[in-house]
Amino acid sequence: MLPVVALVLSVVGLCAPPISLISLGLGVYCFVRARKEAAWAPRKQISQMTMVVSGVGLAVFALIVLPRIKELPARRQQVACREGLSLLYAQQQELKRTNGRYTTQVVELAKKPEAGAQLYRLDGNGPLAAVGLAANVNGIDEHIPQLVRDAVGLKDGQLTMLCAAQLDADATVDVWTISTFERTGDNGAKIPAGLPWLDVDDVTR
């Protein structure tokens, strides 16, 4: 009876991978007993099937989950960029409300994102010390695409800001932008004011 239960669990484990660990253990147990005890010998083939199905379930689970686990640090940096840009946007709106203008000078903002592994720019081509925030970001600034960089800053009274981060070992950097006006993305999508937008995705490149 136990080998049959283990086989059923191995099939269920194809949809719920953690169960495959249980069925694999039961399959090994039944297989060992089938080799040592004559009464269990007829169950040997079922035990082998259980181990195979369980192994397939675990392999599929590993192929799907492990790449996503490896992406977690990169995804955390993307979240940090989005949150940092949203904070900068809120500060710019407060400055606009009280002073009637936006700014590219970081010192004029009351609150700023933490300068971690991300680089922020309020102007695409100004000196980073004046118009940006950065710490431990060697090599990021020079790899921001010029087309994106040129769109960042004050233009006709409206402001676009960016956040960039290096997520892997290649030269491509992850770049997010946020604007005080509605924009149109490369694919024609409308990007509302205040929405962080992924211009360059370093996770998939």
Side-chain angles (χ1 to χ4, degrees), residues 3 5-29 47-65:
V5 172
L7 180 59
V8 171
L9 287 176
S10 69
V11 174
V12 174
L14 294 175
C15 298
I19 295 178
S20 293
L21 289 171
I22 299 173
S23 62
L24 180 61
L26 291 174
V28 171
Y29 170 78
S47 301
Q48 290 174 319
M49 291 174 60
T50 298
M51 290 188 291
V52 170
V53 175
S54 299
V56 170
L58 291 173
V60 171
F61 177 72
L63 288 173
I64 294 174
V65 173

